[in-house]
């Protein structure tokens, strides 16, 4: 149980393109979803937390106008990287939990999306 | 906010040896401590977790210990196998989101 699906797994696109990444919970209702960014040989850095039906909470230093997050249903959250540039190239991973009180509950991760901006 | 320190950054062991990875945290309100294993290019996978009302938890070859007074917790892997080779992340959370350590690359040589 607790499967999270993330698509696409790999994206290569030109600078200036907007890229949408989807994160779906397949067998549970994900009341809270998280988006992380991971650079090579580094740890997971939380970008934002989103609850279904409300605006995402962004971490300090993350541009909300550049990284648009939508959590319109209990099984789907999307991250759109707008006008992507080479410095946005990274591994983006979503995770989800089925509880509003996520503070002491496991997060279930998607497979990640490797984004390469040329 | 929470700060999690993880050591060592790299750990090389021979197959069959034990491996220990240690983490410290700063927020005394943290009460949940998961450990994730991440293979190259893949998703982090939860391997074990512990909550603050427990001092130790074991699952086959993997165990985690927690010392709330000292604010540190450790991952112990016994009888290591080559397939244990991966990056391991500790994390901590209290009333907020998970904060991850910087990771430990574990290399198990046959």
């Amino acid at each position: 149980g607790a499967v999270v699906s993330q698509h696409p797994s790999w994206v290569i696109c030109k600078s200036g393109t907007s890229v949408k990444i989807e994160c779906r919970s397949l067998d549970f209702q994900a009341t809270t979803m998280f988006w992380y960014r991971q650079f090579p040989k580094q740890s997971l850095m939380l970008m934002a937390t989103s609850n279904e039906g409300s605006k995402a909470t962004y971490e300090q230093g993350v541009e909300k106008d550049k990284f648009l997050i939508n959590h319109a249903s209990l099984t789907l959250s999307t991250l759109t990287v707008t006008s992507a540039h080479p410095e946005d190239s990274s591994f983006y991973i979503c995770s989800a939990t089925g509880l509003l009180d996520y503070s002491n509950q496991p997060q279930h991760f998607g497979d990640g999306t490797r984004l390469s901006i040329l | 906010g929470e700060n999690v320190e993880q050591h060592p950054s790299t750990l090389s062991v021979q197959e069959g040896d034990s491996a220990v990875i240690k983490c410290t945290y700063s927020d005394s309100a943290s009460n949940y401590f998961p450990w994730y294993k991440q293979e190259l290019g893949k998703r982090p996978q939860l391997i074990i977790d512990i909550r603050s009302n427990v001092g130790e938890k074991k699952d086959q070859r993997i165990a985690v210990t927690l010392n709330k007074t000292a604010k540190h917790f450790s991952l112990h892997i016994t009888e290591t196998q080559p397939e244990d080779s991966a990056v391991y992340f500790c994390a901590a959370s209290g009333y907020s989101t998970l904060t991850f350590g910087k990771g430990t690359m574990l290399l198990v040589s046959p």
Side-chain angles (χ1 to χ4, degrees), chain B residues 69-108:
Chain B
T69 303
K71 290 189 283 190
H72 66 70
F73 56 113
S74 301
L75 178 71
H76 305 252
I77 305 175
T78 57
E79 301 173 29
T80 55
Q81 301 166 4
E83 49 266 38
D84 293 330
S85 297
V87 178
Y88 291 80
F89 292 99
C90 64
S93 77
Y95 299 108
S96 185
T97 54
L98 279 178
T99 300
F100 286 85
K102 292 189 175 182
T104 296
M105 179 176 289
L106 174 64
L107 302 171
V108 182

Coordinates of all heavy atoms in Angstrom, one line a residue, chain B residues 69-108:
Chain B
T69 N 17.5 12.6 25.5 CA 18.2 13.5 26.3 C 19.4 14.2 25.6 O 19.6 15.4 25.7 CB 18.7 12.8 27.6 OG1 17.6 12.2 28.3 CG2 19.4 13.8 28.5
A70 N 20.1 13.3 24.9 CA 21.3 13.8 24.1 C 20.9 14.3 22.8 O 21.7 14.8 22.0 CB 22.3 12.7 24.0
K71 N 19.6 14.1 22.4 CA 19.1 14.4 21.0 C 20.0 13.8 19.9 O 20.5 14.5 19.0 CB 19.1 16.0 20.9 CG 17.9 16.6 21.8 CD 17.7 18.0 21.5 CE 18.7 18.9 22.1 NZ 18.5 20.3 22.1
H72 N 20.1 12.5 20.0 CA 20.8 11.8 18.9 C 20.1 10.5 18.7 O 19.5 9.9 19.6 CB 22.3 11.7 19.0 CG 22.8 10.9 20.2 ND1 22.7 9.5 20.2 CD2 23.5 11.3 21.3 CE1 23.3 9.1 21.3 NE2 23.8 10.1 22.0
F73 N 20.2 10.0 17.5 CA 19.6 8.7 17.1 C 20.6 8.1 16.1 O 21.3 8.8 15.4 CB 18.2 8.8 16.6 CG 18.0 9.8 15.4 CD1 17.6 9.3 14.2 CD2 18.1 11.1 15.6 CE1 17.3 10.1 13.1 CE2 17.9 12.0 14.5 CZ 17.5 11.5 13.3
S74 N 20.6 6.7 16.1 CA 21.5 6.0 15.2 C 20.8 4.9 14.5 O 19.9 4.3 15.0 CB 22.6 5.4 16.1 OG 23.3 6.5 16.8
L75 N 21.4 4.6 13.3 CA 21.0 3.4 12.5 C 22.0 2.3 12.6 O 23.2 2.7 12.4 CB 20.7 3.8 11.1 CG 20.3 2.7 10.1 CD1 18.9 2.3 10.4 CD2 20.5 3.2 8.7
H76 N 21.6 1.1 12.9 CA 22.6 0.0 13.0 C 22.2 -1.0 12.0 O 21.0 -1.5 12.0 CB 22.6 -0.6 14.4 CG 22.8 0.4 15.5 ND1 24.0 0.4 16.2 CD2 22.1 1.4 16.0 CE1 24.0 1.4 17.1 NE2 22.8 2.0 17.0
I77 N 23.1 -1.4 11.1 CA 22.8 -2.5 10.1 C 23.8 -3.6 10.4 O 25.1 -3.4 10.4 CB 23.0 -2.0 8.7 CG1 22.1 -0.8 8.4 CG2 22.7 -3.2 7.7 CD1 22.3 -0.2 7.0
T78 N 23.3 -4.8 10.7 CA 24.2 -5.9 11.0 C 24.3 -6.8 9.8 O 23.4 -6.8 8.9 CB 23.7 -6.7 12.2 OG1 22.4 -7.2 11.9 CG2 23.7 -5.9 13.5
E79 N 25.4 -7.6 9.8 CA 25.6 -8.6 8.7 C 25.3 -7.9 7.3 O 24.5 -8.4 6.5 CB 24.6 -9.8 8.8 CG 24.8 -10.5 10.2 CD 23.8 -11.6 10.4 OE1 23.3 -12.2 9.4 OE2 23.5 -11.9 11.6
T80 N 26.1 -6.9 7.1 CA 25.8 -6.1 5.8 C 26.1 -6.9 4.6 O 26.9 -7.9 4.6 CB 26.7 -4.9 5.8 OG1 28.1 -5.3 5.9 CG2 26.4 -3.9 6.8
Q81 N 25.3 -6.6 3.5 CA 25.4 -7.3 2.3 C 25.6 -6.2 1.2 O 25.3 -5.1 1.3 CB 24.0 -8.0 2.0 CG 23.7 -9.1 3.1 CD 22.3 -9.6 3.1 OE1 21.5 -9.2 2.2 NE2 21.9 -10.4 4.0
P82 N 26.2 -6.6 0.0 CA 26.4 -5.7 -1.0 C 25.2 -4.9 -1.4 O 25.3 -3.7 -1.8 CB 26.9 -6.6 -2.2 CG 27.6 -7.7 -1.5 CD 26.7 -8.0 -0.3
E83 N 24.0 -5.5 -1.4 CA 22.8 -4.8 -1.7 C 22.4 -3.7 -0.7 O 21.4 -3.0 -1.0 CB 21.6 -5.8 -2.0 CG 21.4 -6.8 -0.9 CD 22.1 -8.1 -1.1 OE1 23.3 -8.1 -1.7 OE2 21.6 -9.2 -0.8
D84 N 23.1 -3.7 0.4 CA 22.8 -2.6 1.4 C 23.5 -1.3 0.9 O 23.2 -0.2 1.5 CB 23.3 -3.0 2.7 CG 22.6 -4.1 3.4 OD1 21.4 -4.3 3.1 OD2 23.2 -4.9 4.2
S85 N 24.4 -1.4 -0.1 CA 25.1 -0.2 -0.6 C 24.1 0.8 -1.2 O 23.2 0.5 -2.0 CB 26.1 -0.6 -1.7 OG 27.1 -1.4 -1.2
A86 N 24.1 2.0 -0.6 CA 23.1 3.1 -1.0 C 23.5 4.3 -0.2 O 24.4 4.3 0.6 CB 21.7 2.6 -0.7
V87 N 22.7 5.4 -0.4 CA 22.8 6.5 0.5 C 21.7 6.5 1.5 O 20.5 6.2 1.1 CB 22.7 7.8 -0.3 CG1 22.8 9.0 0.6 CG2 23.8 7.9 -1.4
Y88 N 22.0 6.6 2.7 CA 21.0 6.6 3.8 C 20.8 8.0 4.4 O 21.8 8.7 4.7 CB 21.5 5.6 4.9 CG 21.5 4.2 4.5 CD1 22.5 3.7 3.7 CD2 20.4 3.3 4.8 CE1 22.5 2.4 3.3 CE2 20.4 2.0 4.4 CZ 21.4 1.5 3.6 OH 21.4 0.2 3.2
F89 N 19.6 8.4 4.6 CA 19.2 9.7 5.1 C 18.5 9.5 6.4 O 17.5 8.7 6.5 CB 18.3 10.5 4.2 CG 19.0 10.9 2.9 CD1 18.9 10.2 1.7 CD2 19.8 12.1 2.9 CE1 19.5 10.6 0.6 CE2 20.4 12.5 1.7 CZ 20.3 11.7 0.6
C90 N 18.9 10.2 7.5 CA 18.1 10.3 8.7 C 17.2 11.6 8.5 O 17.5 12.5 7.7 CB 18.9 10.4 9.9 SG 20.0 11.8 10.0
A91 N 16.2 11.7 9.3 CA 15.3 12.8 9.3 C 14.6 13.0 10.7 O 14.6 12.0 11.4 CB 14.3 12.7 8.2
A92 N 14.2 14.2 10.9 CA 13.5 14.4 12.2 C 12.3 15.4 11.9 O 12.4 16.3 11.1 CB 14.5 15.0 13.2
S93 N 11.3 15.2 12.7 CA 10.2 16.2 12.6 C 9.5 16.3 14.0 O 9.5 15.3 14.7 CB 9.2 15.8 11.5 OG 8.3 14.8 12.0
G94 N 8.9 17.4 14.2 CA 8.2 17.6 15.5 C 6.8 18.1 15.1 O 5.9 17.3 14.8
Y95 N 6.6 19.4 15.2 CA 5.3 19.9 14.8 C 5.3 20.5 13.4 O 4.4 21.2 13.0 CB 4.9 21.0 15.8 CG 4.8 20.5 17.2 CD1 5.8 20.8 18.2 CD2 3.8 19.6 17.6 CE1 5.7 20.3 19.5 CE2 3.7 19.1 18.9 CZ 4.7 19.5 19.8 OH 4.6 19.0 21.1
S96 N 6.3 20.1 12.6 CA 6.4 20.7 11.3 C 6.9 19.6 10.3 O 6.7 18.4 10.6 CB 7.5 21.8 11.3 OG 7.5 22.5 10.1
T97 N 7.5 20.0 9.3 CA 7.8 19.0 8.2 C 9.1 18.3 8.6 O 9.8 18.7 9.5 CB 8.0 19.8 6.9 OG1 8.9 20.9 7.1 CG2 6.7 20.4 6.4
L98 N 9.5 17.3 7.8 CA 10.7 16.5 7.9 C 11.9 17.4 7.6 O 11.9 18.1 6.6 CB 10.7 15.3 7.1 CG 9.9 14.1 7.5 CD1 10.0 13.0 6.5 CD2 10.4 13.6 8.8
T99 N 12.9 17.3 8.4 CA 14.2 17.9 8.1 C 15.2 16.7 7.9 O 15.3 15.9 8.8 CB 14.7 18.8 9.2 OG1 13.8 19.9 9.3 CG2 16.1 19.4 8.8
F100 N 15.9 16.7 6.8 CA 16.8 15.5 6.5 C 18.2 15.9 6.8 O 18.7 17.0 6.7 CB 16.7 15.2 5.0 CG 15.4 14.5 4.6 CD1 14.3 15.2 4.3 CD2 15.4 13.1 4.5 CE1 13.1 14.6 3.9 CE2 14.2 12.5 4.2 CZ 13.1 13.2 3.9
G101 N 19.0 14.8 7.2 CA 20.4 15.0 7.3 C 21.0 15.0 5.9 O 20.3 14.8 4.9
K102 N 22.3 15.2 5.8 CA 22.9 15.3 4.5 C 23.2 14.0 3.8 O 23.7 13.9 2.7 CB 24.2 16.1 4.6 CG 23.9 17.6 4.9 CD 25.2 18.4 4.8 CE 24.8 19.9 5.0 NZ 25.9 20.8 4.9
G103 N 23.0 12.9 4.5 CA 23.2 11.6 3.9 C 24.5 10.9 4.2 O 25.5 11.6 4.4
T104 N 24.5 9.6 4.2 CA 25.7 8.8 4.3 C 25.7 7.8 3.2 O 24.8 7.0 3.0 CB 25.7 8.0 5.6 OG1 25.7 8.9 6.7 CG2 26.9 7.1 5.7
M105 N 26.8 7.8 2.4 CA 27.0 6.8 1.4 C 27.6 5.6 2.0 O 28.7 5.6 2.4 CB 27.8 7.4 0.2 CG 28.0 6.3 -0.9 SD 28.9 7.0 -2.3 CE 27.7 8.1 -3.0
L106 N 26.9 4.5 2.0 CA 27.4 3.2 2.5 C 27.8 2.3 1.4 O 27.0 2.1 0.4 CB 26.3 2.5 3.3 CG 26.6 1.1 3.8 CD1 27.8 1.1 4.8 CD2 25.4 0.4 4.5
L107 N 29.1 1.9 1.4 CA 29.6 1.0 0.4 C 30.0 -0.3 1.1 O 30.8 -0.4 2.0 CB 30.8 1.6 -0.2 CG 30.7 2.9 -0.9 CD1 32.0 3.6 -1.3 CD2 29.8 2.8 -2.1
V108 N 29.3 -1.4 0.7 CA 29.6 -2.7 1.2 C 30.3 -3.6 0.2 O 29.8 -3.9 -0.9 CB 28.3 -3.5 1.6 CG1 28.6 -4.8 2.2 CG2 27.5 -2.6 2.6

